[in-house]
């Protein structure tokens, strides 16, 4: 039975692609899922489906509600949650996903550069592993799935 891994966090770099490709290359029994990765669709989905809203707050509110249907469902169905915090943007949604996953008792792996260590100390404390590179996430998955360490 495959493990389900939810990849949360920033959408502006190739980190998900690197993880997904390595999982395929190594033939690990893992299925990955993610939030809506098209920024425009994520922002505008609510108004495109439910209609225009009177203020930007309500536009964001209805869009966030639709996005939460996907995010909450996929997090709840996942075996492991990976949350990426990137360099360029504040990822408040990623922090929320990490807290939600922790509250559900889901194994959590954070992925971020060292410069974010202090800002993410509480989230990292809830995580079972802190990775710096996407390839380390794959190393962790390989180890927990089949007990195999990376080549030195």
């Amino acid at each position: 039975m495959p493990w389900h891994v939810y990849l949360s966090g920033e959408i502006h770099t190739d980190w998900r692609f690197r993880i997904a490709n390595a999982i395929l290359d190594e033939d690990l029994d893992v299925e990955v899922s993610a939030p809506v990765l098209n920024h425009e669709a994520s922002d505008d989905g609510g108004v495109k489906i439910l209609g225009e809203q009177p203020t930007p707050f309500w536009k964001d509110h209805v869009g966030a509600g639709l996005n939460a249907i996907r995010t909450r469902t996929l997090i709840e169905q996942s075996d492991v949650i990976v949350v990426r915090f990137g360099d360029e943007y504040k990822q408040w949604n990623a922090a929320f996903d990490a807290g939600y996953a922790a509250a559900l008792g889901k194994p959590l792996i954070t992925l971020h550069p060292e410069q974010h260590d202090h800002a993410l100390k509480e989230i990292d404390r809830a995580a079972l592993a802190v990775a710096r590179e996407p390839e380390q996430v794959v190393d962790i998955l390989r180890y927990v799935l089949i007990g195999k360490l990376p080549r030195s």
Side-chain angles (χ1 to χ4, degrees), residues 62-124:
V62 297
L66 295 186
N67 290 333
I69 294 169
R70 178 186 179 98
T71 300
R72 289 182 190 180
T73 301
L74 292 173
I75 287 174
E76 289 168 8
Q77 293 173 350
S78 292
D79 298 299
V80 176
I81 314 302
V82 177
V83 182
R84 162 79 175 156
F85 295 91
D87 294 327
E88 199 170 332
Y89 301 97
K90 304 286 187 221
Q91 287 94 42
W92 308 118
N93 58 327
F96 183 85
D97 290 353
Y100 186 62
L104 292 172
K106 298 287 184 173
L108 177 64
I109 300 168
T110 57
L111 172 60
H112 62 79
E114 190 174 338
Q115 72 244 31
H116 295 330
D117 284 353
H118 180 71
L120 295 173
K121 65 184 178 292
E122 283 82 8
I123 293 172
D124 284 345

Side-chain angles (χ1 to χ4, degrees), residues 37-56:
L37 300 178
N38 178 303
H39 201 158
E40 182 180 342
S42 176
D43 285 349
D44 295 340
V47 294
K48 295 284 187 183
I49 295 168
L50 299 174
E52 291 299 320
Q53 299 299 309
T55 66

